[in-house]
Amino acid sequence: MVTTVTLAPERVVRPQLNLDLQPTVAEFFAGIGLVRMGLERAGFRCVWANDFDPQKKEMYRTHFKGSGNHYFSGDVADVDIAKMPRKISLAWASFPCIDVSLAGWRRGLNGKHTGTFWHFIRVMNDLKRQHRLPAVVALENVSGLATSHGGKDLVDAIMALNEIGYSVDVLALDARHFVPQSRPRLFLVGALSKPIETQEDDLVLRPARLQAVFDNPSLVTHKAALPRLPPPLTAGLADVVDPLPAHDERWWDAKRTTAFLESLSPVQKKRLEQLMASKRLAHRTAYRRTRDGKPMWEMRADEIAGCLRTARGGSSKQALVQVNGNEINVRWMTEREYARLMGARDYNLDGLRRNQALFGFGDAVCVDVVEWLARHYLRPLVEAAESNR
């Protein structure tokens, strides 16, 4: 005789996460919180955040429910360290890019917007005087920072961190290594204690245009040993596209689509004809440009998106072109598509206005890039520093 014994289901006891053991981060210029998402994936805990834009704050608080208490809504110039947490492992600052962007005013670190960098430096100096300086700082900006004022602005930024006590690494990271979007950005990583340095040059992470800062004897720099980046994507746009039905009102009508097609240059039209001849469903992104004073549309040749921008007008928004044989449909990209291209597929978009969402994502940092940097560089750097204290 076989006796069957039914056991009571085992109670699974999940270990409680000890928040005291997690490295903490203070995020300056936090925007809509994509940096926080990337850092949290790598095990950081955000204990303080700051931004002055009320629409970005609304998005931040919508996504991170109950996170309003640690969010200082105001100008970085008004940050009072007495109201910041005592222990901060990492300070992150994605300071405004408009004055160093190649598409901006090129006023540099002394410009009205990008010059807020110096307010961040002031806060770091205040923390230093109270012996509360984070072991690591990370700064993010557009690639134009490397060439702004002939490279002087990048040197000044590194020197400012040096004077506080940080050795600085400079990295170039493009989001297309992780998501189908071309989004090159510059990252400065400051460490109070130098990490183990690489013995070979990785010209993807530290391309030739950055080598001058490492060769500058007046700067304290280092090159941390890091893993190779995944190869850059050349396709994948189809994976982020919302499959909207043909009757969806977001598709442009025949008149607007015809105007789009007529604005294409001969090179662009040839590109479109090749897609039509392939007889397969294909997607491309397009921007409106001004050439010789005339507005024109230009499509990318590859299956990735161009760099998302802050949506303030038609020329800054990105359109999606869907080609299926002789059928051509065009529309603006959706909020969810922007979120996916920024590595934030699960971002809460409830109740947000369209332009609010597009602006927020266009002015943010790709989540996957932050996660890679935090997992392979920032987290080990913080842990090594804090274990030696």
Side-chain angles (χ1 to χ4, degrees):
M1 182 177 68
V2 178
T3 302
T4 302
V5 179
T6 302
L7 299 177
E10 181 180 358
R11 181 183 177 188
V12 178
V13 179
R14 299 187 184 278
Q16 293 295 314
L17 187 63
N18 188 342
L19 298 181
D20 292 333
L21 298 180
Q22 281 188 283
T24 57
V25 57
E27 189 188 359
F28 295 78
F29 314 98
I32 65 173
L34 298 200
V35 167
R36 172 177 170 174
M37 292 177 70
L39 292 173
E40 286 182 343
R41 289 181 188 178
F44 281 91
R45 178 166 61 95
C46 184
V47 293
W48 185 88
N50 151 254
D51 204 286
F52 78 100
D53 190 310
Q55 294 194 48
K56 291 179 182 177
K57 177 186 177 181
E58 181 185 357
M59 291 183 67
Y60 185 103
R61 297 185 71 171
T62 296
H63 183 75
F64 300 102
K65 300 294 185 182
S67 296
N69 292 337
H70 77 252
Y71 195 108
F72 169 65
S73 182
D75 197 300
V76 67
D78 299 324
V79 170
D80 181 359
I81 66 166
K83 298 178 181 178
M84 296 179 67
R86 292 291 304 174
K87 182 181 180 298
I88 298 171
S89 308
L90 166 71
W92 181 290
S94 294
F95 59 103
C97 66
I98 192 167
D99 294 307
V100 294
S101 170
L102 295 177
W105 300 323
R106 302 296 276 175
R107 293 172 181 163
L109 280 184
N110 291 321
K112 176 181 177 182
H113 301 275
T114 305
T116 51
F117 165 81
W118 297 109
H119 294 303
F120 169 75
I121 293 297
R122 187 269 304 169
V123 174
M124 292 297 102
N125 274 306
D126 288 348
L127 290 172
K128 180 180 180 179
R129 281 189 285 271
Q130 291 196 7
H131 307 288
R132 296 166 53 191
L133 197 60
V136 180
V137 294
L139 279 66
E140 176 269 344
N141 213 287
V142 295
S143 300
L145 176 61
T147 57
S148 179
H149 288 172
K152 182 178 183 300
D153 284 333
L154 178 57
V155 169
D156 287 348
I158 295 172
M159 193 167 293
L161 293 173
N162 287 167
E163 290 173 354
I164 298 172
Y166 294 107
S167 172
V168 180
D169 197 352
V170 186
L171 308 169
L173 281 166
D174 194 327
R176 71 181 296 174
H177 289 276
F178 307 94
V179 296
Q181 180 197 175
S182 174
R183 194 178 187 81
R185 289 294 184 266
L186 204 66
F187 295 84
L188 279 65
V189 177
L192 293 180
S193 299
K194 281 190 178 185
I196 297 174
E197 297 197 66
T198 182
Q199 299 302 311
E200 59 181 72
D201 284 331
D202 183 340
L203 294 180
V204 175
L205 280 172
R206 301 179 186 90
R209 68 180 184 276
L210 298 180
Q211 294 306 309
V213 298
F214 296 106
D215 296 334
N216 189 331
S218 66
L219 301 177
V220 181
T221 59
H222 63 267
K223 296 179 181 179
L226 297 171
R228 296 283 179 179
L229 286 166
L233 299 179
T234 57
L237 181 62
D239 296 332
V240 306
V241 171
D242 281 327
L244 303 184
H247 58 79
D248 193 290
E249 62 181 9
R250 283 170 285 188
W251 291 111
W252 294 352
D253 60 23
K255 180 179 179 181
R256 193 173 184 182
T257 302
T258 299
F260 169 86
L261 296 174
E262 290 177 347
S263 79
L264 297 177
S265 69
V267 172
Q268 297 288 319
K269 288 179 180 177
K270 181 69 174 179
R271 186 174 294 168
L272 184 60
E273 289 168 359
Q274 291 172 344
L275 288 176
M276 295 168 65
S278 71
K279 302 296 182 181
R280 65 179 181 87
L281 179 64
H283 298 93
R284 294 292 187 271
T285 58
Y287 270 121
R288 191 163 57 197
R289 314 279 192 187
T290 300
R291 302 298 186 196
D292 298 323
K294 181 180 178 181
M296 303 183 70
W297 280 95
E298 294 183 0
M299 295 192 310
R300 285 188 65 95
D302 50 17
E303 296 180 48
I304 66 172
C307 185
L308 301 182
R309 303 177 185 173
T310 52
R312 292 192 184 276
S315 61
S316 63
K317 290 189 291 186
Q318 201 157 171
L320 179 78
V321 184
Q322 180 173 284
V323 182
N324 193 0
N326 292 326
E327 183 180 348
I328 302 170
N329 293 291
V330 187
R331 61 171 171 81
W332 295 120
M333 297 195 79
T334 67
E335 303 93 303
R336 182 56 64 191
E337 288 165 346
Y338 266 51
R340 291 170 183 150
L341 287 171
M342 293 300 290
R345 287 180 171 269
D346 59 347
Y347 200 89
N348 187 353
L349 300 175
D350 294 344
L352 300 178
R353 298 172 296 283
R354 171 177 166 75
N355 277 351
Q356 176 188 16
L358 298 188
F359 181 88
F361 288 115
D363 200 28
V365 189
C366 177
V367 177
D368 299 76
V369 171
V370 177
E371 180 186 4
W372 186 90
L373 190 66
R375 193 176 298 280
H376 297 291
Y377 197 168
L378 305 180
R379 179 78 187 265
L381 203 56
V382 165
E383 290 179 342
E386 296 189 343
S387 66
N388 292 328
R389 285 187 173 182

